[in-house]
Structure formats: structure tokens, C-alpha cells
Amino acid sequence: MKKIIYLALLLCFSATTITSAQSKPSQKEIFASTYHSSKTAIKAQQYQFVGLVVYNNKERQRLEADYNTLKIESDNISGTLSSLGTYTFLTDTSKNKITNYKASFNDDAQEIVIEFNVGEAKFHINVKANGNAFLTLKSGVNNITQTGKIERI
């Protein structure tokens, strides 16, 4: 009888140890591969921003990804970005050079900030760990704000 009691106690203690040893992966661990993939593409300057939603202070609108993509290859840029109004940023072959390109990587927060200019247009892209990207384009009085994703080319 004592052996059965000892065996039962041993099983109880081992069961609690096993259950407490299992833990869920942290959010940082879950998004690590997405963050590192984005980081690699951005460092190589071989990626594209695909806009999914354009918005302003009052409204938002879904976009067709095929017609709202900005491709960045080295110091060249090509593509189209739409606004909610009549303004559309369309790269011109004579003015499609990127200048002042800066990418900063915060590995602790798994966040990437990209800034560059194309002519007078200023771009700011904030890439989160889950792959979501937030683009702001300021071109004179015209602004475009979009949410999308970064894809490797």
C-alpha cells in the first residue's frame, strides 16, 4: 500500500513539473523569421512595398496590390502609389533615382525604419516585426499614407 501511495505522489510531482516546463513562445520568437527576412531584403535594397490600404484622417480604402506596388532595387525605384484623392505617385524614368537612403534596425523591438528621397518626394516606411509596413509619402502639398507589406524581390 505504501508503494502505491509513493508512486501516486511521484506521479503528481512529475506531472506538475512537466506542465510547468512547457511554455508558449514569445511574440518576439514568433515573428523572428519574418523580421529577419525583411531585414535581409532591406539591407540588400531588393524589395517592394505592396500597398493594401490607403487612408487619411477621415477615411480609408482597400487597394489592388497589382496596381499599387513600389519596387526598390539598389538605388532605382519603380511603381505606382495611389492616394484617396486625385494624386498618384508614378515614378518617372528620368527621376527614379533614390537619394539619402537610410535604413535603421532595432533588433530588440524588431522594427525597421526606412527613409529616402526621390526628387522632392520624401518617403518614410516603418516595418513591424509581423511584416506589416506603414508608408508615408510627402511630395509638396500631396501626401500618401498607406499600410501594406514588404516583399523580397
Side-chain angles (χ1 to χ4, degrees), residues 5-21:
I5 294 173
Y6 287 131
L7 183 60
L9 285 173
L10 180 64
L11 287 174
C12 288
F13 287 126
S14 63
T16 57
T17 304
I18 292 171
T19 32
S20 64

Side-chain angles (χ1 to χ4, degrees), residues 80-97:
T80 305
L81 294 176
S82 302
S83 71
L84 282 172
T86 57
Y87 175 68
T88 300
F89 178 82
L90 177 64
T91 56
D92 181 355
T93 54
S94 64
K95 300 178 185 175
N96 64 347
K97 292 292 182 193

Side-chain angles (χ1 to χ4, degrees), residues 53-61 82-86 135 143-147:
V53 176
V54 62
Y55 59 94
N56 62 18
N57 296 356
K58 298 176 186 172
E59 60 184 305
R60 60 180 48 229
Q61 178 181 337
S82 302
S83 71
L84 282 172
T86 57
L135 175 136
N143 294 328
I144 296 177
T145 306
Q146 293 187 1
T147 302

Side-chain angles (χ1 to χ4, degrees), residues 49 55 70 81 116 123-126 133-137 144-148:
F49 171 85
Y55 59 94
L70 200 62
L81 294 176
F116 59 89
F123 288 83
H124 179 89
I125 304 172
N126 193 351
F134 301 88
L135 175 136
T136 304
L137 163 63
I144 296 177
T145 306
Q146 293 187 1
T147 302

